[in-house]
Amino acid sequence: ASPIASSVYEPESFSARSLSPTDWSVSDVVRYFTAAGFPEQAAAFRSQEIDGRSLLLMRRNDVLTGLSIKLGPALKIYEHHVKELQKTHNRK
Amino acid sequence: ASPIASSVYEPESFSARSLSPTDWSVSDVVRYFTAAGFPEQAAAFRSQEIDGRSLLLMRRNDVLTGLSIKLGPALKIYEHHVKELQKTHNRK
Amino acid sequence: ASPIASSVYEPESFSARSLSPTDWSVSDVVRYFTAAGFPEQAAAFRSQEIDGRSLLLMRRNDVLTGLSIKLGPALKIYEHHVKELQKTHNRK
Amino acid sequence: ASPIASSVYEPESFSARSLSPTDWSVSDVVRYFTAAGFPEQAAAFRSQEIDGRSLLLMRRNDVLTGLSIKLGPALKIYEHHVKELQKTHNRK
Amino acid sequence: ASPIASSVYEPESFSARSLSPTDWSVSDVVRYFTAAGFPEQAAAFRSQEIDGRSLLLMRRNDVLTGLSIKLGPALKIYEHHVKELQKTHNRK
């Protein structure tokens, strides 16, 4: 909930942010992580066919070992993005 | 328990739905997941020789890592199908 | 505890059944799983050098991922055999 | 909290120690583990792109299996360094 | 704590037994497991650079999957040796 985390979490250049993650296509997911500063890792979400509904089901270990991405970015992707998107979504 | 989940869970074209999953052969399992919209992933259930009795014993991690299928579909297969079949079965 | 499970669990053709699993050699373990209907998977117990004492120490995940056998049979081997042998043994 | 552990934990030759780990770059992380006596393993932190913020998110299993380093050094790196850095950081 | 387990646990031919495991070098660890009846598996402790301090930090899963040794011996190594050494050490 720090200012940095929330600015990362809602990247200005991500145009699908008005949609609920439930409605994101695989391409929306890829655009989200590209805009969030992880263009290399974003491709892994496409190759694993992860759309918004799958994204909301991911756990820490799925992000760290199921995407075959580097550990450093994976830790931030889970902690500052996937977990935050899930919290926001479940709060509604 | 949403209307969408339940329509996916009982695909009209799946003819074995009158049988209990306990009695499903490996081919019934394959036909179930094909009818449910996962024709590519269905083949993994055949190659891992999963019949109805094995299906009812599967946990989240078995579906995600034991079938060598893509993570996005795997997450949905577990959450909307395997888990639901097990709940319905255990309720009886 | 169904009649089917218990007939699988004590296959008539398995001659070591009078011994406690603690005393089973690797070959006894292999003969047990062959007689129980898993001749292909039985070989994995030999190649991993699992005798009766090791068998009694196995957990679900060891059977599912440590033997490199197919997931369908592995689920049944653990649930209907390894777990049952351990229960019976620990009851004594 | 033994004298040995704490002298390892704050290696004299590590110049970034005045910074909070949150501010460490990937190179600071690499220099930390090199100074701490793990020069071979330090390279794995670079190749996995782990900066200070990622380091503070690492769990035991991430260090042991996510870095592809030898188990002996990995156990010490987690127990005497990663865990201690996290404790000190969270205390503040 | 059976007579068999304790004779395995303190092999007569292991000369480092007067030292606390904390002080064992990698070579002491290798000699311990060789004397305990696991000469083939002992080599894995050397290649993973496990000294006494690392040995005392090992958990079940580290022994079973982190050493790349056969499952049968690994189960006994953990249960009858690593776990017992840790218990004895922590009791002091």
Side-chain angles (χ1 to χ4, degrees):
Chain A
S2 70
I4 290 166
S6 87
S7 75
V8 172
Y9 166 60
E10 290 180 355
E12 286 185 35
S13 57
F14 180 59
S15 58
R17 72 185 148 169
S18 55
L19 287 177
S20 159
T22 322
D23 299 318
W24 291 0
S25 66
V26 173
S27 291
D28 290 328
V29 171
V30 171
R31 284 189 300 125
Y32 173 87
F33 286 106
T34 304
F38 299 97
E40 278 182 67
Q41 286 72 34
F45 287 86
R46 184 181 304 286
S47 67
Q48 291 296 326
E49 298 177 6
I50 296 170
D51 61 13
R53 283 172 67 208
S54 292
L55 189 66
L56 293 174
L57 294 170
M58 289 184 90
R59 297 189 191 164
R60 187 178 188 276
N61 197 49
D62 306 333
V63 176
L64 265 60
T65 70
L67 294 173
S68 303
I69 58 177
K70 294 190 175 185
L71 189 53
L75 288 160
K76 292 176 184 168
I77 283 173
Y78 175 70
E79 199 70 23
H80 301 306
H81 294 276
V82 176
K83 212 168 110 175
E84 293 303 315
L85 285 166
Q86 292 174 348
K87 261 195 229 167
T88 309
H89 180 75
N90 293 334
R91 208 176 291 147
K92 289 175 195 171
Chain B
S2 70
I4 289 168
S6 87
S7 74
V8 172
Y9 166 61
E10 291 180 353
E12 285 185 36
S13 57
F14 180 58
S15 58
R17 71 184 148 170
S18 55
L19 289 176
S20 159
T22 322
D23 299 318
W24 291 1
S25 65
V26 173
S27 292
D28 289 329
V29 171
V30 171
R31 284 188 301 125
Y32 174 86
F33 286 106
T34 304
F38 300 97
E40 279 182 66
Q41 286 73 34
F45 287 86
R46 185 182 303 286
S47 67
Q48 291 296 326
E49 298 177 8
I50 295 169
D51 60 12
R53 284 172 67 207
S54 292
L55 189 66
L56 293 174
L57 295 170
M58 290 185 89
R59 297 188 191 164
R60 187 179 188 276
N61 197 47
D62 307 332
V63 176
L64 264 60
T65 70
L67 293 173
S68 303
I69 59 177
K70 294 189 174 184
L71 188 53
L75 288 160
K76 292 176 185 169
I77 283 173
Y78 175 70
E79 200 70 23
H80 302 306
H81 294 277
V82 176
K83 211 167 112 177
E84 293 303 314
L85 286 166
Q86 293 175 347
K87 261 195 227 166
T88 308
H89 179 75
N90 293 335
R91 208 177 291 148
K92 289 178 194 170
Chain C
S2 72
I4 289 168
S6 87
S7 73
V8 171
Y9 167 61
E10 291 180 354
E12 285 185 37
S13 57
F14 180 59
S15 58
R17 70 183 148 168
S18 55
L19 289 176
S20 160
T22 321
D23 299 317
W24 290 1
S25 66
V26 173
S27 291
D28 290 328
V29 171
V30 171
R31 284 189 301 125
Y32 174 86
F33 287 107
T34 304
F38 299 97
E40 279 182 67
Q41 286 73 34
F45 287 85
R46 185 180 304 286
S47 67
Q48 292 295 326
E49 298 178 8
I50 295 169
D51 61 13
R53 284 173 67 208
S54 292
L55 189 66
L56 293 174
L57 295 170
M58 290 184 89
R59 297 189 191 162
R60 187 179 187 276
N61 197 48
D62 307 333
V63 176
L64 264 60
T65 70
L67 294 172
S68 304
I69 58 177
K70 294 188 174 183
L71 188 54
L75 288 160
K76 292 175 184 170
I77 283 173
Y78 175 71
E79 198 71 22
H80 301 307
H81 294 277
V82 176
K83 211 168 112 176
E84 293 303 315
L85 286 165
Q86 293 176 347
K87 261 195 228 166
T88 308
H89 179 75
N90 293 334
R91 209 177 292 148
K92 290 177 194 170
Chain D
S2 71
I4 290 167
S6 87
S7 75
V8 172
Y9 166 59
E10 290 180 354
E12 285 185 36
S13 57
F14 179 60
S15 58
R17 71 183 147 171
S18 54
L19 289 176
S20 159
T22 321
D23 299 318
W24 291 0
S25 65
V26 173
S27 291
D28 290 329
V29 171
V30 171
R31 285 189 301 124
Y32 174 86
F33 286 106
T34 304
F38 299 98
E40 278 183 66
Q41 286 73 34
F45 287 86
R46 185 182 303 286
S47 68
Q48 292 296 326
E49 299 178 7
I50 296 170
D51 61 13
R53 283 172 68 209
S54 292
L55 189 66
L56 294 174
L57 294 170
M58 290 185 89
R59 297 188 191 165
R60 187 180 188 275
N61 196 49
D62 306 333
V63 176
L64 265 60
T65 69
L67 293 173
S68 303
I69 59 178
K70 293 189 174 185
L71 188 53
L75 288 160
K76 293 175 184 169
I77 283 173
Y78 175 71
E79 200 70 23
H80 302 307
H81 294 276
V82 176
K83 212 169 108 176
E84 294 303 314
L85 286 166
Q86 292 175 347
K87 262 195 227 165
T88 309
H89 179 76
N90 293 334
R91 209 176 291 147
K92 289 176 194 171
Chain E
S2 71
I4 290 167
S6 87
S7 75
V8 171
Y9 167 61
E10 291 180 353
E12 286 184 36
S13 57
F14 180 60
S15 58
R17 71 183 148 171
S18 55
L19 290 176
S20 159
T22 321
D23 299 317
W24 291 0
S25 66
V26 173
S27 291
D28 289 329
V29 171
V30 171
R31 283 189 302 125
Y32 173 86
F33 286 106
T34 303
F38 299 98
E40 278 182 67
Q41 286 74 34
F45 287 86
R46 185 181 305 286
S47 67
Q48 292 296 325
E49 299 177 6
I50 296 170
D51 60 13
R53 283 172 69 209
S54 292
L55 190 66
L56 293 174
L57 295 170
M58 290 184 89
R59 296 189 191 164
R60 187 179 188 276
N61 197 48
D62 306 334
V63 176
L64 265 60
T65 70
L67 293 172
S68 303
I69 58 178
K70 293 189 174 184
L71 188 54
L75 288 160
K76 292 175 184 169
I77 283 173
Y78 175 71
E79 199 71 22
H80 301 306
H81 294 276
V82 176
K83 211 168 110 175
E84 294 303 315
L85 286 166
Q86 293 175 347
K87 262 195 228 167
T88 309
H89 179 75
N90 293 334
R91 208 177 291 147
K92 290 177 195 172

